[in-house]
Amino acid sequence: MVKKMNTVNEIRYETKMEDVDFGLSSIFLAGPTVRGNQQHLTSWRPEAAEIFKKKGFHGNLIIPEFTDLTESDQYRLDIPVWEFDGLCSCDVIMFWIPRTRELIGLTTNHEHGYWMGRDRDKMVYGRPDDAYRMTYLDIMWVEDAKDTGCKVVPKICTTLEETIEASIKKL
């Protein structure tokens, strides 16, 4: 059982979801993932974990990556199930989408749309101003909010730190 108090628990693919204490605040770090064959790219999630620690967050960060970043999820049909279980069980889904031409985030597109339809109130959405091809997600974020009767359209955060602060506040 993964249960620690007064610390950030980094929950990665190696941890079984049934071993996670979801009695603690839990945030899923959704967004493009560097794959094992993309060693020349850098994951954004370690920086995010450090910012959460500096902000005094205590709880679970569900990080959909392997501890060993050379590990591949290719042919791992358990990985989408692990992610879905984490997304369903967490308190907040923080979408940070620093999309580039190489780190395109196709799974992220699906998750973003799915969770807007299933439980939009659980989401925080952010992306850098220079992120590649984000217009559609931005428009849907605004239009869906209007369609569901939001009086104030939730903000699109434009820095990782701002997105993290919004996620902590949402808890």
Side-chain angles (χ1 to χ4, degrees):
M1 171 73 79
V2 175
K3 181 174 184 160
K4 297 178 184 173
M5 302 305 281
N6 299 323
T7 188
V8 173
N9 303 318
E10 294 185 19
I11 310 300
R12 296 176 184 272
Y13 288 146
E14 294 85 358
T15 303
K16 294 179 183 176
M17 279 298 161
E18 57 265 21
D19 292 339
V20 178
D21 179 5
F22 284 103
L24 300 175
S25 296
S26 300
I27 299 175
F28 190 103
L29 302 186
T33 299
V34 174
R35 304 297 177 188
N37 65 338
Q38 296 175 307
Q39 296 303 302
H40 60 289
L41 299 178
T42 303
S43 171
W44 58 272
R45 290 182 178 98
E47 179 185 358
E50 287 306 311
I51 295 170
F52 272 102
K53 290 172 190 172
K54 287 178 185 170
K55 300 270 179 207
F57 173 75
H58 300 296
N60 299 318
L61 289 181
I62 303 171
I63 300 174
E65 294 180 346
F66 291 99
T67 301
D68 175 0
L69 297 180
T70 65
E71 184 78 30
S72 175
D73 63 351
Q74 190 173 20
Y75 310 116
R76 294 284 308 269
L77 301 180
D78 59 313
I79 296 298
V81 174
W82 184 95
E83 290 184 6
F84 187 72
D85 289 346
L87 288 160
C88 289
S89 300
C90 70
D91 301 301
V92 173
I93 304 170
M94 185 189 100
F95 281 91
W96 176 246
I97 310 176
R99 179 175 288 151
T100 67
R101 288 177 183 264
E102 280 190 279
L103 192 61
I104 198 72
L106 296 177
T107 301
T108 301
N109 286 348
H110 171 78
E111 289 172 342
H112 192 269
Y114 178 85
W115 284 98
M116 275 184 26
R118 179 172 174 156
D119 192 356
R120 180 194 174 98
D121 291 337
K122 190 175 186 172
M123 296 171 62
V124 171
Y125 171 45
R127 47 87 183 135
D129 286 330
D130 65 348
Y132 178 68
R133 297 185 70 178
M134 295 301 298
T135 305
Y136 188 86
L137 289 183
D138 289 355
I139 290 169
M140 290 299 104
W141 183 250
V142 171
E143 292 305 312
D144 179 71
K146 290 179 192 174
D147 187 56
T148 56
C150 290
K151 299 208 185 309
V152 177
V153 175
K155 181 176 175 58
I156 299 171
C157 302
T158 58
T159 68
L160 180 56
E161 186 165 350
E162 179 184 24
T163 309
I164 289 168
E165 288 171 356
S167 298
I168 293 170
K169 183 177 180 182
K170 185 170 276 292
L171 284 172

